[in-house]
Amino acid sequence: DVHVVTGVVKSYLRSIEPLCTFEKYDTFMKAVAAPEWRQKMIAVQDAIHALPRSSFITLKFICDHLKRVSEREVENRMSVRNLSIVFAPNLLR
Protein backbone atom coordinates (compact mmCIF):
# COMPACT_ATOMS: atom_id res chain seq x y z
CA ASP A 1 0.00 0.00 0.00
CA VAL A 2 1.51 3.32 -1.11
CA HIS A 3 0.09 5.14 1.93
CA VAL A 4 1.94 2.82 4.29
CA VAL A 5 5.22 3.44 2.47
CA THR A 6 4.66 7.20 2.57
CA GLY A 7 3.89 7.01 6.28
CA VAL A 8 7.08 5.06 6.93
CA VAL A 9 9.19 7.58 4.99
CA LYS A 10 7.61 10.52 6.85
CA SER A 11 8.08 8.75 10.18
CA TYR A 12 11.73 8.07 9.37
CA LEU A 13 12.31 11.72 8.43
CA ARG A 14 10.74 12.86 11.70
CA SER A 15 12.92 10.48 13.73
CA ILE A 16 16.27 11.76 12.44
CA GLU A 17 18.00 15.12 12.60
CA PRO A 18 16.51 17.37 9.91
CA LEU A 19 18.30 16.86 6.61
CA CYS A 20 18.41 20.61 6.18
CA THR A 21 20.14 21.12 9.51
CA PHE A 22 19.15 23.58 12.22
CA GLU A 23 22.36 25.51 11.62
CA LYS A 24 21.45 26.00 7.95
CA TYR A 25 17.79 26.95 8.50
CA ASP A 26 18.37 30.71 8.13
CA THR A 27 20.47 30.11 5.02
CA PHE A 28 17.62 28.17 3.40
CA MET A 29 15.04 30.80 4.40
CA LYS A 30 17.16 33.58 2.90
CA ALA A 31 17.70 31.51 -0.25
CA VAL A 32 14.00 30.99 -0.92
CA ALA A 33 13.31 34.66 -0.17
CA ALA A 34 15.58 35.85 -2.99
CA PRO A 35 13.61 38.16 -5.29
CA GLU A 36 14.62 36.70 -8.65
CA TRP A 37 14.11 33.07 -9.69
CA ARG A 38 17.70 32.59 -10.92
CA GLN A 39 19.15 34.15 -7.78
CA LYS A 40 16.86 31.93 -5.66
CA MET A 41 17.92 28.73 -7.46
CA ILE A 42 21.63 29.55 -7.08
CA ALA A 43 21.20 30.32 -3.37
CA VAL A 44 19.21 27.12 -2.74
CA GLN A 45 21.78 25.05 -4.64
CA ASP A 46 24.60 26.63 -2.62
CA ALA A 47 22.74 25.90 0.64
CA ILE A 48 22.17 22.27 -0.36
CA HIS A 49 25.80 21.76 -1.33
CA ALA A 50 26.87 23.19 2.05
CA LEU A 51 24.99 20.43 3.92
CA PRO A 52 26.90 17.64 5.64
CA ARG A 53 27.65 14.86 3.16
CA SER A 54 25.27 12.35 4.77
CA SER A 55 22.40 14.87 4.70
CA PHE A 56 23.19 15.78 1.09
CA ILE A 57 23.16 12.13 -0.05
CA THR A 58 19.93 11.33 1.81
CA LEU A 59 18.23 14.49 0.52
CA LYS A 60 19.29 13.68 -3.04
CA PHE A 61 17.85 10.16 -2.73
CA ILE A 62 14.55 11.48 -1.35
CA CYS A 63 14.31 14.19 -4.02
CA ASP A 64 14.97 11.65 -6.77
CA HIS A 65 12.21 9.44 -5.35
CA LEU A 66 9.75 12.34 -5.03
CA LYS A 67 10.50 13.34 -8.61
CA ARG A 68 9.50 9.82 -9.72
CA VAL A 69 6.32 10.10 -7.64
CA SER A 70 5.45 13.47 -9.21
CA GLU A 71 5.94 12.03 -12.70
CA ARG A 72 2.96 9.77 -11.97
CA GLU A 73 0.74 12.63 -10.81
CA VAL A 74 -2.10 11.55 -13.12
CA GLU A 75 -2.30 8.23 -11.27
CA ASN A 76 -1.49 9.31 -7.71
CA ARG A 77 -2.64 12.97 -7.62
CA MET A 78 0.66 13.95 -6.00
CA SER A 79 1.81 17.08 -7.75
CA VAL A 80 5.07 18.78 -6.84
CA ARG A 81 3.02 21.21 -4.74
CA ASN A 82 1.24 18.39 -2.87
CA LEU A 83 4.52 16.59 -2.26
CA SER A 84 6.10 19.76 -0.91
CA ILE A 85 3.19 20.27 1.48
CA VAL A 86 3.52 16.71 2.77
CA PHE A 87 7.31 16.37 2.94
CA ALA A 88 8.82 19.85 3.41
CA PRO A 89 7.97 20.09 7.13
CA ASN A 90 9.89 16.85 7.66
CA LEU A 91 12.96 17.97 5.72
CA LEU A 92 13.41 21.50 7.08
CA ARG A 93 12.61 22.08 10.74
Side-chain angles (χ1 to χ4, degrees):
D1 181 11
V2 69
H3 301 291
V4 172
V5 173
T6 300
V8 168
V9 171
K10 286 173 49 181
S11 180
Y12 168 73
L13 292 173
R14 280 189 224 110
S15 73
I16 63 172
E17 283 285 317
L19 294 177
C20 302
T21 61
F22 294 119
E23 296 81 21
K24 304 286 184 191
Y25 183 85
D26 289 336
T27 303
F28 277 97
M29 292 298 101
K30 287 177 186 169
V32 298
E36 295 178 23
W37 183 87
R38 184 173 171 11
Q39 191 179 11
K40 186 179 302 195
M41 292 301 106
I42 291 170
V44 168
Q45 183 178 18
D46 289 347
I48 290 170
H49 283 279
L51 290 172
R53 181 161 170 74
S54 60
S55 295
F56 177 84
I57 291 168
T58 305
L59 183 60
K60 182 177 180 340
F61 179 84
I62 289 169
C63 288
D64 288 344
H65 171 69
L66 294 177
K67 180 180 181 292
R68 288 190 301 272
V69 171
S70 72
E71 289 170 349
R72 300 183 74 164
E73 178 184 355
V74 173
E75 300 164 43
N76 61 28
R77 296 187 302 236
M78 291 305 290
S79 65
V80 170
R81 178 176 163 72
N82 289 343
L83 289 167
S84 67
I85 290 168
V86 171
F87 284 96
N90 298 299
L91 297 173
L92 182 63
R93 295 181 260 149

